[in-house]
Amino acid sequence: MNLLYKSTRSDDTLVTASQAILKGLAEDGGLFVPTVIPTLDVNMDELSKMTYQEVAYEVMKLFFTDFTEEELKNCIHKAYDEKFDTEEIAPLAKAEGAYYLELFHGATIAFKDMALSILPHLLTTSAKKNNAKNDIVILTATSGDTGKAALAGFADVEGTKIIVFYPKDGVSPIQEKQMVTQKGDNTYVIGIKGNFDDAQSGVKAMFNNKELAAKMDKGGYQFSSANSINIGRLVPQIVYYVYAYSRLYKNGEIAKNELINIVVPTGNFGNILAAYYAKNMGVPVNKLICASNDNKVLFDFFSTGTYDRNRDFILTSSPSMDILISSNLERLIYRITGSDASKTKELMDSLSNKGNYEVTVKMRDQLKDFEGGYASEGDTADIIKKIYEDTGYVIDTHTAVAASVYEQYKEAAKDSSKAVIASTASPYKFARSVMNSIDMKYDSLSDFELIDELSKISNTDIPKAIEEIRTAPVLHDKVCDAADMQSTVEDILKL
Ligand SMILES: *Cc1c(COP(=O)(O)O)cnc(C)c1O
C-alpha cells in the first residue's frame, strides 16, 4: 500500500513520504501528516525476537512506503550502529517501580540523536528518489542541544553540508565545547554576537530569501531543515516505543496485551506524539502522560481545553523543555478535529494572531488518551535525590520532570499499570543541576570535577561524548555579527 501525506491546514496537496521529508513543512505552513496511521503487521511475539534495527524496519516501512526495502534498511543500518554505546540502542532500566527507556546512548547523549542519526540518510535518499540534483545545505540556529545532535548526524554525510549558528554567549560551556570540536569536512559552526532569537531570525530570513535560493541553485545547493516538525524525525521516534513494549514482553515483565502507561517529558510535543502514534499502530497503551516543567502550557491545555502562550517564559533546569509553542501539537489537533484542515487552520491562525485558542467539547472528548501534569523546580530536584538515595540510579533533570509527574499521577489516579518513562538525556549532560539536586556541596566543583564525581556516585562510565571534549581540539572559531549571517553562508558555499 502506498501511504501519502497531506498538510494539517489544507486538503489540496498529497505528497509521498520522501517528498514530505524533503519539504519539511507544507507550503501553507501546515505540518505533513499521514492520511492514515498504519497498523503494525507483525505481532508482539515476532517483534520480541527482533533487534532494534529490525523493529525499526517494521515500523518505518509502513510510513515510508515509497522507499525500497534496500533503501530503508541502508538508512537504518547507517544510523543505528557503533555511534550508540549499546547494541540495544534504547535499553530499559528498572528503578523505583518504573521502566526508564534510556534514549541517550547516541553520539550527543540526548534523545534528539534517536531521530537525527537517521534523518540525514532519509534526506539524501529522498533527494535521490526525487532527482534533486543539488547538494543539501542544512541551516540551523540552536540554543545548544539540537545543533550538536544535527552536526553529529550530518558530519561527513555525502551530498550534504551543515551550518550551525549559536549565540556566542548564550549556551553552556559544555554545549559550546561539544559544537566547536565537531569533526567532519562538511560541518561549519559559527558563534553570533546576539541571542538565540537573533540567530533564529537570521536563519528564517535566509530560508525565505528567493534571491539567495536562486544563487544557491546556481551553485548546486538547496537549503533543508532538520527541524523537529519534519516527518523524518517523528517516525523514527515511534520505533523505540514499539521496541520498549516488545522488550517488556520478551523479558516477562508484562503479559500479552497488557496495557502500560507511557510518561514523556515534553517540550515541542514530538516525542509524546510518537508514543501516541505507536498506540494507534496497535501497541497496548493505556495513558500517555504529558509532563511539563514550570512552562506548563500543555498541562493547562489538557486540564482546560485552552492553549494559551500569553505568559512569561520561565528559564528552568530542564532547558530543552522551556517552550511555549509546542509545534507538534498541531498534528494532534488535526486528529481531534476529525481530520478537519480548515478547523485546524482556524485554531493555528488564532494561536499566531492572539496567542491562544480553545478546542470544542467534542474535541476534548478525544483527548482521553492523555493526562497532563507538571513538576516545579523543587519537585524536579527532590525526585532526583529520592531516586538516587533509594536505588543508586541517577536521572537527568528532564527525565526527573517526568518521574515527578508520574509519582503524582500514580497517587492521584490509583493506577498501578506498569509505566515506561522516556529518559531523554544522560545525567552527564546536565551534571551541575543533577549533582546540586543530590547535594549542594558539589556546587564548588568545576565542570569536569563534577563529571568525575557523578561517575563515582552513580557507578557508571563517563560517556565517550563527554570524555572526548576534555581534550578535543577546537576546530571552529568563527564569530560574526547577527547582520552578517548571510554573507558568512555565501562565503562558506563560495557563492
Ligand atoms: C528536546 C528534548 C525534550 C522535549 O522533547 P519534545 O519532542 O520537544 O517534546 C525533552 N528532553 C530533552 C533532553 C530534549 O532534548
Side-chain angles (χ1 to χ4, degrees), residues 372-413:
Y374 74 99
S376 69
E377 289 292 275
D379 297 336
T380 307
D382 289 348
I383 196 88
I384 292 174
K385 186 178 171 76
K386 177 169 185 288
I387 293 178
Y388 169 66
E389 286 178 351
D390 290 353
T391 69
Y393 187 60
V394 180
I395 58 175
D396 101 289
T397 45
H398 302 76
T399 309
V401 168
S404 172
V405 166
Y406 175 56
E407 292 283 309
Q408 297 169 33
Y409 168 80
K410 249 193 328 194
E411 186 64 34

Side-chain angles (χ1 to χ4, degrees), residues 275-287:
Y276 175 71
Y277 277 27
K279 175 175 175 146
N280 283 280
M281 292 182 82
V283 178
V285 177
N286 176 28
K287 288 284 181 192

Side-chain angles (χ1 to χ4, degrees), residues 110-112 145 228 237 264-272 320-321 323 328 396 398-399 424-425 430:
F111 106 96
K112 305 284 190 295
D145 281 349
S228 84
Q237 295 178 355
V264 185
T266 298
N268 221 0
F269 209 76
N271 200 1
I272 193 165
S320 304
M321 297 160 65
I323 281 178
N328 265 298
D396 101 289
H398 302 76
T399 309
T424 51
F430 299 94

Side-chain angles (χ1 to χ4, degrees), residues 48-92:
S48 69
K49 297 190 188 83
M50 293 181 190
T51 62
Y52 189 89
Q53 293 80 356
E54 287 165 344
V55 173
Y57 177 70
E58 293 302 325
V59 172
M60 291 190 209
K61 73 170 193 202
L62 300 173
F63 283 94
F64 301 149
T65 53
D66 66 328
F67 284 62
T68 66
E69 177 171 349
E70 194 193 342
E71 284 169 340
L72 205 46
K73 287 189 169 166
N74 189 28
C75 291
I76 290 168
H77 289 287
K78 280 182 172 155
Y80 304 112
D81 60 6
E82 303 77 48
K83 288 193 286 299
F84 286 77
D85 66 9
T86 161
E87 260 177 43
E88 292 172 272
I89 306 296
L92 284 163

Side-chain angles (χ1 to χ4, degrees), residues 454-466:
L454 172 54
S455 172
K456 256 187 239 153
I457 69 155
S458 64
N459 205 9
T460 56
D461 292 334
I462 299 172
K464 207 168 77 201
I466 296 281

